[in-house]
């Protein structure tokens, strides 16, 4: 059962000291108490497990619980404790207020874990445990994504290599080799390509010479390829590489590069899929580039869609863990929140909503601020899931609001300026413009908002009262100071009560834009309504892509803006709630399998680098006890 923490220390130890002093309940017990049957559970040791999707069929007639998305104001580089708040609120609802509750969060990349950010299991007395497993390999989902992503990358270059050296007839003969009796057969995935080409034949012998040529030769334009290899390590030297330099590759070199694994479109698909069949279709229709004739080339055209699904068949099952106070948590998927939609998986949310039932609560977290993760949660995730949220929790810190008021630059790893540790109501009130805009953003979707003021030790009562007053004036349902980092669930009881009350309020959920609007209209609606911008300027490459996507029929997809998380605008130096700016769209790319277009607003790095002193300096293993040390 959920349990209140004992022995909470006034001087909060390090994250890893707290979790290693805790004794996780057996995961079978967490599952049983949550309503998961033994045959729906696949154990990965004593403290984590995967849950089969079949549970949705068993619980299909159970009404959903209340659905709450946790988001935030525009953060500082230090982060504002969104995951910590999500976990603390879960503990408050479950262990202190007696509610059925489930937490759904993303799995972190090992890149930031060993880089500068550290882990993402929460913090202080509000964490998901075992924190070490959470932040490292977990059950191998990211490794599965890496393997499938790189199999597709290999398939692209292999196909171009063989097409370059063979005639159409020779290529067809090798793709459909004759058996001993002289007959030929299409692999099942080949029938998908034939259907796409409008060739209604299943016997290779019946194809005309022209049909054989169309089927066999993809004629990929190397300059159009957008698919890159991935690795789950911050390795800046792989951002741009040249491949094909071996003697066997016959001079077929090409400039490409690596992304961090969680930036793969396959990760976005894992988060947005609703089942194995849906995932198979999404993986198959991923577009890797175009032919020289300008036609989209997909994973199924390359014959690899089915193999990718096989590699991902276990990863689609959510990972079950627990919080420090014994409330259940799903940790599943971890798409980037800038170039992708930055939310945990639909299937985890669906299962959790059934498990808690109509009297329960499911907390799901959206990445970065409400202008990014929350907007994409509503406009992309809710569209594909069909789920309707009941409440938004908006996390704010006085530290970040002072930065938005014009406070000194906040740099990770460096001490905070006294402006952030001393009372300054003028600076704070000016910075609350960001909070006001974010609350207004959430209210545009017709959902009640509760502001969680995540307390830091130097925050004063007058500062907390000011933030609360301005949040209520901005049409928040409530604004509550929380101290869950230092106290666990006990520090978020007031927030829990506010969320319960907000979920009882009427809501009128609506999308920000209709899908049948043009690509430009959807982009400009987001810029105007979410960011406060005055307009959009499209670079020639972006205009070229708009024309291409209109021709290929991708124009009805939702929009997933790729922009900085450090400002409401495209410019990280514009703090607070800027207005009047023009957003430059330098390019637009298509994640057709995931189901969105992503405009690039300025330079976006998909492969982080390492600082001079990365986090791995502090991480080691106590070889006597087997315990990880230094992870945060």
């Amino acid at each position: 059962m959920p349990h209140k923490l004992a022995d909470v220390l006034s001087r909060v130890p390090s994250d890893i000291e707290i979790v290693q002093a805790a004794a996780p309940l057996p995961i079978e017990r967490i599952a049983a108490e949550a309503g998961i049957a033994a045959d729906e559970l696949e154990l990965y040791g004593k403290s984590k497990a995967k849950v089969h999707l079949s549970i949705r069929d068993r619980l299909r007639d159970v009404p959903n619980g209340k659905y709450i998305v946790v988001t935030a104001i525009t953060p500082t580089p230090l982060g504002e404790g969104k995951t910590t708040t999500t976990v603390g609120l879960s503990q408050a609802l479950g262990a202190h207020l007696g509610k059925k509750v489930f937490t759904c969060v993303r799995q972190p990349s090992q890149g930031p874990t060993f880089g500068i950010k550290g882990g993402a299991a929460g913090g202080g007395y509000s964490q998901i445990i075992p924190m070490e497993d959470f932040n490292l390999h977990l059950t191998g989902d990211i490794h599965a994504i890496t393997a499938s992503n790189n199999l597709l990358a290999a398939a692209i270059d292999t196909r171009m290599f063989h097409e370059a050296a063979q005639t159409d007839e020779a290529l067809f003969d090798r793709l459909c080799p004759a058996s001993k009796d002289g007959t030929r057969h299409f692999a099942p995935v080949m029938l998908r390509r034939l259907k796409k080409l409008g060739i209604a034949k299943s016997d290779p012998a019946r194809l005309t010479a022209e049909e054989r040529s169309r089927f066999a030769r993809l004629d990929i334009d190397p300059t159009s390829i957008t698919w890159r290899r991935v690795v789950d390590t911050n390795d800046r030297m792989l951002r741009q590489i040249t491949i094909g330099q071996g003697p066997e590759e016959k001079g077929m070199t090409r400039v490409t590069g690596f992304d961090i694994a969680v930036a793969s479109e396959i990760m976005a698909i894992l988060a947005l899929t609703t089942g194995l069949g849906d995932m198979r279709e999404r993986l198959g229709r991923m577009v890797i580039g175009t032919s020289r004739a300008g036609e989209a080339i997909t994973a199924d055209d390359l014959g690899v869609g089915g193999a990718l699904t096989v590699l991902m068949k276990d990863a689609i099952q959510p990972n079950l863990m627990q919080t420090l106070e014994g409330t259940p948590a799903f940790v599943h998927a971890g798409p980037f929140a800038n170039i992708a939609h930055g939310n945990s998986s639909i299937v985890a949310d669906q299962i959790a909503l059934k498990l808690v039932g109509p009297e329960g609560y499911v907390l799901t977290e959206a990445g970065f601020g409400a202008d990014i993760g929350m907007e994409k949660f509503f406009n992309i995730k809710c569209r594909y899931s069909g789920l309707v949220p009941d409440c938004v929790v908006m996390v704010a810190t006085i530290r970040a609001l002072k930065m938005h008021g014009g406070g000194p630059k906040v740099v990770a790893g460096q001490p905070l300026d006294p402006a952030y540790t001393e009372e300054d109501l003028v600076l704070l009130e000016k910075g609350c413009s960001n909070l006001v805009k974010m609350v207004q953003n959430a209210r545009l979707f017709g959902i009640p908002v509760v502001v969680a003021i995540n307390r830091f030790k130097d925050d004063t009562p007058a500062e907390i009262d000011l933030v609360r007053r301005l949040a209520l004036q901005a049409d928040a349902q409530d604004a509550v100071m929380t101290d869950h980092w230092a106290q666990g669930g006990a520090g978020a009881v007031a927030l829990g009560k506010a969320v319960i009350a907000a979920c009882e309020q009427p809501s009128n959920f609506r999308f920000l834009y209709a899908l049948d609007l043009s690509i430009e209209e959807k982009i400009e609606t987001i810029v105007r309504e979410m960011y406060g911008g005055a307009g959009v300027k499209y670079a020639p490459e972006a205009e070229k892509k708009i024309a291409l996507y209109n021709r290929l029929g991708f124009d009805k997809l939702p929009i997933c803006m790729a922009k900085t998380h450090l400002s409401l605008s495209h410019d990280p130096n514009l703090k607070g709630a800027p207005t009047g700016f023009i957003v430059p769209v330098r390019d637009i790319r298509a994640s057709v399998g995931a189901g969105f277009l992503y405009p690039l607003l300025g330079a976006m790095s998909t492969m982080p680098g390492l600082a001079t002193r990365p986090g791995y300096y502090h991480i080691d293993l106590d070889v006597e006890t087997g315990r990880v040390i230094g992870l945060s």
Side-chain angles (χ1 to χ4, degrees):
M1 295 290 292
H3 52 274
K4 299 177 182 179
L5 287 173
D7 302 322
V8 174
L9 303 178
S10 58
R11 181 185 176 279
V12 181
S14 70
D15 289 352
I16 199 164
E17 289 174 321
I18 290 172
V19 298
Q20 290 183 345
L25 298 171
I27 201 65
E28 299 101 318
R29 181 177 169 188
I30 295 290
E33 291 173 354
I36 302 168
D39 62 355
E40 294 166 337
L41 203 65
E42 191 170 330
L43 297 177
Y44 280 72
K46 298 179 180 179
S47 54
K48 57 186 183 291
K50 279 192 168 292
V51 175
H52 298 171
L53 301 192
S54 61
I55 194 171
R56 291 183 303 180
D57 296 328
R58 177 171 65 84
L59 301 176
R60 69 167 66 90
D61 296 328
V62 177
N64 286 345
K66 300 295 186 182
Y67 193 33
I68 301 139
V69 58
V70 182
T71 184
I73 62 170
T74 302
T76 68
L78 305 179
E80 309 318 312
K82 194 160 66 269
T83 305
T84 307
T85 301
T86 305
V87 176
L89 176 56
S90 173
Q91 294 178 160
L93 289 168
H96 298 262
L97 296 172
K99 303 296 184 181
K100 291 202 72 173
V101 65
F102 235 104
T103 306
C104 297
V105 295
R106 290 179 294 165
Q107 179 184 354
S109 165
Q110 289 180 175
T113 297
F114 289 106
I116 195 168
K117 183 178 183 296
Y125 286 106
S126 294
Q127 295 188 64
I128 292 174
I129 57 174
M131 178 260 267
E132 305 95 319
D133 294 6
F134 180 102
N135 286 314
L136 299 174
H137 304 282
L138 198 54
T139 58
D141 293 348
I142 294 179
H143 299 312
I145 288 162
T146 301
S148 52
N149 183 101
N150 292 344
L151 176 60
L152 178 53
I156 295 166
D157 291 298
T158 292
R159 187 57 171 262
M160 291 195 298
F161 175 82
H162 289 299
E163 285 194 16
Q166 298 178 53
T167 65
D168 292 353
E169 194 62 31
L171 194 61
F172 182 83
D173 286 344
R174 285 169 173 78
L175 286 170
C176 300
S179 61
K180 290 182 179 180
D181 63 4
T183 59
R184 300 176 187 270
H185 301 278
F186 288 122
V189 71
M190 293 176 172
L191 299 176
R192 291 172 176 255
R193 173 156 176 79
L194 289 169
K195 182 179 180 180
K196 173 183 174 180
L197 295 172
I199 301 173
K201 298 176 183 178
S202 58
D203 182 356
R206 295 184 56 215
L207 268 63
T208 66
E210 188 270 337
E211 289 171 337
R212 289 185 176 200
S213 176
R214 289 176 61 210
F215 165 78
R217 190 165 296 279
L218 301 183
D219 197 26
I220 298 169
D221 179 358
T223 65
S224 75
I225 296 172
T226 56
W227 198 263
R228 290 154 59 94
R229 288 159 174 83
V230 299
V231 63
D232 201 35
T233 303
N234 289 2
D235 194 342
R236 66 175 70 244
M237 295 303 175
L238 293 178
R239 288 171 176 167
Q240 181 170 306
I241 63 169
T242 302
I243 60 173
Q245 295 193 1
E248 300 296 323
E249 281 58 64
K250 303 176 182 178
M252 289 193 63
T253 60
R254 182 169 70 85
V255 175
T256 181
F258 275 75
D259 296 329
I260 195 79
V262 293
S264 170
E265 182 179 352
I266 297 175
M267 175 62 90
I269 287 174
L270 179 65
L272 288 170
T273 190
T274 55
L276 272 173
D278 176 68
M279 184 171 70
R280 170 63 183 88
E281 296 304 315
R282 287 175 178 270
L283 291 171
R285 66 174 179 255
M286 290 188 299
V287 173
I288 59 89
T290 61
S291 68
R292 287 185 171 88
E295 296 303 316
I297 303 297
T298 68
D300 272 348
D301 289 329
L302 288 157
V304 74
L308 302 181
T309 310
V310 169
L311 288 171
M312 292 294 296
K313 69 179 180 64
D314 294 326
I316 196 174
Q317 300 176 131
N319 305 296
L320 179 66
M321 299 185 77
Q322 64 189 284
T323 69
L324 276 166
E325 297 188 36
T327 60
F330 280 137
V331 182
H332 198 217
F336 257 30
N338 43 16
I339 67 163
H341 69 296
N343 283 257
S344 58
S345 76
I346 285 174
V347 294
D349 289 1
Q350 288 176 331
I351 294 171
L353 286 164
K354 294 299 183 185
L355 287 169
V356 300
E359 302 302 316
Y361 299 83
V362 171
L363 309 170
T364 192
E365 179 190 344
F368 292 141
D371 57 322
I372 302 181
M374 183 200 72
E375 182 267 313
K376 296 172 183 179
F377 170 82
F378 288 137
N379 284 319
I380 299 175
K381 184 176 179 181
C382 289
R383 269 196 165 95
Y384 289 122
S385 70
L387 299 173
V388 177
D390 295 285
C391 176
V392 170
V393 173
M394 183 78 63
V395 179
T397 63
I398 288 168
R399 172 184 70 189
L401 292 172
K402 286 181 176 179
M403 180 198 70
H404 286 294
K409 187 175 183 179
V410 175
V411 179
Q414 295 185 13
L416 285 173
D417 187 274
Y420 299 108
T421 57
E422 299 173 359
E423 183 174 286
D424 190 333
L425 298 179
V426 174
L427 187 66
L428 177 60
E429 183 167 6
K430 184 179 178 183
C432 279
S433 62
N434 187 268
L435 172 63
V436 168
K437 175 59 177 168
M438 291 301 198
V439 171
Q440 293 170 346
N441 282 355
R443 294 293 291 138
L444 277 174
F445 295 92
I447 305 299
V449 180
V450 174
V451 173
I453 308 168
N454 187 15
R455 183 178 183 272
F456 283 68
K457 64 180 180 63
D458 296 309
D459 300 342
T460 69
E463 289 175 328
I464 293 168
D465 287 345
L466 175 62
V467 175
R468 173 176 164 76
R469 175 170 59 83
L470 294 175
L472 294 175
Q473 288 177 5
D475 201 21
Q477 177 75 24
D478 205 345
V480 181
M481 189 278 289
T482 63
D483 200 12
H484 45 275
W485 179 81
Q487 300 179 28
V493 169
L495 177 61
K497 291 178 179 178
V499 167
I500 292 170
C503 286
E504 297 305 317
Q505 296 300 310
S507 63
N508 182 28
F509 177 64
R510 54 189 175 269
F511 296 116
L512 187 65
Y513 54 79
L515 292 182
D516 59 3
L517 294 178
S518 69
I519 294 172
E520 296 97 325
E521 287 173 318
K522 285 180 280 196
I523 291 172
E524 290 156 20
T525 298
I526 295 171
V527 167
R528 183 178 62 254
E529 301 293 340
M530 288 288 104
Y531 309 159
V536 178
K537 182 179 180 180
Y538 300 93
E541 183 62 28
E543 292 178 335
K544 178 182 173 183
K545 291 292 180 60
I546 289 171
L548 174 65
Y549 299 152
N550 285 336
R551 181 173 61 80
L552 294 175
F554 301 159
D555 56 309
K556 303 309 178 190
L557 293 173
I559 300 297
C560 186
M561 301 285 260
K563 80 173 191 77
T564 179
H565 62 287
L566 297 174
S567 171
L568 268 162
S569 74
H570 63 286
D571 182 351
N573 296 310
L574 295 179
K575 302 302 183 184
T579 58
F581 53 89
I582 302 297
V583 170
V585 176
R586 68 176 179 87
D587 195 4
I588 304 175
R589 297 179 184 169
S591 289
V592 179
F596 53 72
L597 303 179
Y598 62 101
L600 301 177
L601 315 186
M604 299 300 302
S605 176
T606 52
M607 172 56 80
L610 291 170
T612 305
R613 181 169 169 165
Y616 57 67
Y617 272 85
H618 306 281
I619 299 171
D620 212 323
L621 189 73
D622 184 329
V623 296
E624 298 297 326
T625 65
R627 282 188 164 186
V628 175
I629 56 177
L631 194 61
S632 64

